[in-house]
Amino acid sequence: MDAMTFVLFGATGDLAKRKIFPAIYNLYVDRKLPESFQLIGLGRRKLTEAEFREQVAQSLRAFSRRPVTDEAAVRDFLERIGYSELNVNELSDYAKLAGRIEEREQRFTLPENRVFYMSVAPELFGSIVANLQESGLSRVSGWKRLVIEKPFGHDLESARALNASLAQAFEEKEIFRIDHYLGKPMVQNLEVFEYSNPVLQALWRNRYVANVQITAAETVGVESRAGYYDHSGAVRDMFQNHMLQMLMMLAMQLPKHSTAEEVGFKKRKVMEALRTLNREDVAANVVRGQYTAGHIGGKPVAGYAEEPGVNPGSTTDTYIAARLWIDDYFWSEVPFYIRTGKRMAAKSTRIVIEFKDPSDKFSRTNETTAPNLLTIDIGPEAGMTFRLNMKNPLKNGKIEPVQIQFDADEKNVPEAYETLIADMMRGDSTFFAHWDEVELAWQWVQPILNAFEGGELPLHTYSAGSNGPEAADRLLEQDGFHWWHDEPQEEAPAERKLAEPAGVQA
Ligand SMILES: NC(=O)C1=CN([C@@H]2O[C@H](COP(=O)(O)OP(=O)(O)OC[C@H]3O[C@@H](n4cnc5c(N)ncnc54)[C@H](OP(=O)(O)O)[C@@H]3O)[C@@H](O)[C@H]2O)C=CC1
Ligand SMILES: O=C1O[C@H](COP(=O)(O)O)[C@@H](O)[C@H](O)[C@H]1O
């Protein structure tokens, strides 16, 4: 791998501590860092290099995926870590930084390969890029890469403005927009499932799929992030980015090659085929909710409106569910139900593909059979379950669901940030959010934001520890379905009939 200087803005912040340093340390342990690698952490805090390294060491001990037992390895890793004070708004600080980087590049005759990772509040992104350009730091004879954290904009207009400001100094292929869901192993696996399993390839279409459910449920509340969250809500925090990215990865047609260009193209096609919601459609297809007091893990927890830092009477959504339609050859007439919420019954990010019942079932047997389900667990545990039906010889040949199951060994699975940072260091942006997708996602979400802001959609409530507002259950019931909650049910409810969506040839 190429030698490089890795410049980390926001190196004293929460994300750097919990995710970025532990990820880079694990890459070091796996020998996935280049031979010549230096990370320069930046922040306004007055810290000596030794004090900063001690902070990094503590973050590794607290958050590394692998237990930190080899102190010699930690010392060797820390040798590659430096710290400089820098205020992102002060051009003169960039000149000092440039001096430090150039001195090292010249001393060791290294190529001018530079990563600029912006792990700071989004308001600072524009200033950093302008100052990188003004100071000459982004003019290199080698390569340069800009890594940007979410949120990418607050709405369609601000996202476009932000992208235009990045484009002043970086080309699209040099910009790596992190969406950590794209680094999750089972999200990366979606494409592989399809191309490596002819069985699934054949079934991956409206002829066989009854509906698709994508859920990201969390038990945590707003925690200490009310300042940010109360202005974002679930729709901006999770839906516009992580949820729509999972939808794209699942629904895209297989690219010939897994390259950034081809995957980006296929994802864009999904977004282009996503049926636009007009004002009336929003009310019929979207449910928004906010959690009230309840119990999580047997302990009482406060409602959102009572959380510290939340504006009194806040109408911010902590839950959103939506019904979407992809109007293309493969998915037309298949409803996609997507939901995400905080303070729900269980932490679970999961995709469930529910297959249609064979139409001639009743001519063969009087028994009702449970639908076939393909369940892909994205996290916290990665895994996959395929539920089929068979006659149980121990029960007089009663037809029962059986499960084919795979569970990953979590300890040995790299974290999303490890995978994504390693990809970025190799210059591979396949599993990053490309501008076209981000823009189309904002474009699709914008009518929902407008409806929320225009007060056109009721704010439902749900108790902390529940499965979300009842209105979201009705969304599926209208189509003859129900949410598959944490564990797939053993049997389909007796009265349930799977509706055949109109216009689909069985
Ligand atoms: N934390 C998380 O779980 C997640 C965060 N993100 C995103 O990551 C980014 C960082 O978040 P997080 O780490 O939580 O934020 P924090 O508030 O914890 O850290 C902010 C960092 O920015 C630095 N900073 C602030 N102002 C300046 C300035 N004027 N000049 C130089 N440095 C400055 C701070 O350093 P100092 O105080 O020393 O100046 C600190 O290192 C945000 O874009 C956030 O949305 C995305 C997903 C999850
Ligand atoms: O980006 C975010 O994701 C987390 C959930 O991530 P996960 O990997 O634990 O599923 C969410 O809690 C946070 O609000 C959001 O900003």
Side-chain angles (χ1 to χ4, degrees), residues 150 180-181 184 218 220 225 228-229 237-238 242 342 347 349:
K150 64 171 277 240
H180 79 278
Y181 272 56
K184 292 185 185 256
E218 299 186 82
V220 293
R225 298 167 70 215
Y228 149 76
Y229 194 88
D237 186 48
M238 294 287 291
H242 306 320
K342 293 209 180 275
K347 167 78 180 162
T349 301

Side-chain angles (χ1 to χ4, degrees), residues 304-469:
Y304 179 73
E306 291 83 57
E307 298 272 24
V310 168
N311 289 317
S314 167
T315 55
T316 297
D317 44 293
T318 60
Y319 177 99
I320 174 168
R323 174 172 41 208
L324 298 81
W325 304 92
I326 299 171
D327 290 327
D328 68 9
Y329 177 76
F330 291 92
W331 294 115
S332 69
E333 307 299 336
V334 177
F336 284 74
Y337 305 105
I338 301 189
R339 63 178 167 164
T340 179
K342 293 209 180 275
R343 285 287 191 229
M344 306 240 319
K347 167 78 180 162
S348 166
T349 301
R350 167 177 287 180
I351 296 173
V352 181
I353 299 171
E354 179 173 333
F355 292 94
K356 290 179 180 173
D357 277 0
S359 52
D360 66 346
K361 183 172 70 176
F362 294 104
S363 64
R364 293 171 55 95
T365 167
N366 288 328
E367 285 184 69
T368 47
T369 51
N372 291 155
L373 295 180
L374 177 64
T375 302
I376 301 161
D377 279 305
I378 311 291
E381 278 87 40
M384 192 184 78
T385 310
F386 202 1
R387 195 175 79 170
L388 305 169
N389 291 305
M390 65 171 275
K391 277 187 180 184
N392 186 340
L394 302 175
K395 291 193 186 166
N396 277 342
K398 184 177 182 305
I399 300 177
E400 284 192 336
V402 291
Q403 319 224 97
I404 301 170
Q405 197 158 349
F406 160 77
D407 295 311
D409 175 0
E410 290 302 312
K411 290 187 297 301
N412 295 321
V413 177
E415 285 231 348
Y417 270 86
E418 286 173 58
T419 310
L420 294 175
I421 291 173
D423 284 357
M424 179 276 296
M425 291 198 297
R426 285 186 288 104
D428 181 354
S429 68
T430 306
F431 291 106
F432 287 78
H434 313 111
W435 168 241
D436 289 349
E437 300 148 24
V438 174
E439 185 181 36
L440 286 162
W442 275 120
Q443 213 161 292
W444 191 85
V445 157
Q446 193 61 51
I448 300 182
L449 297 177
N450 296 345
F452 282 16
E453 274 144 34
E456 290 155 33
L457 217 61
L459 181 69
H460 297 274
T461 54
Y462 60 100
S463 309
S466 70
N467 281 317

Side-chain angles (χ1 to χ4, degrees), residues 7 10 28 33 74 130 217 220 229 322 383:
V7 177
Y28 160 82
L33 291 185
V74 173
V220 293
Y229 194 88

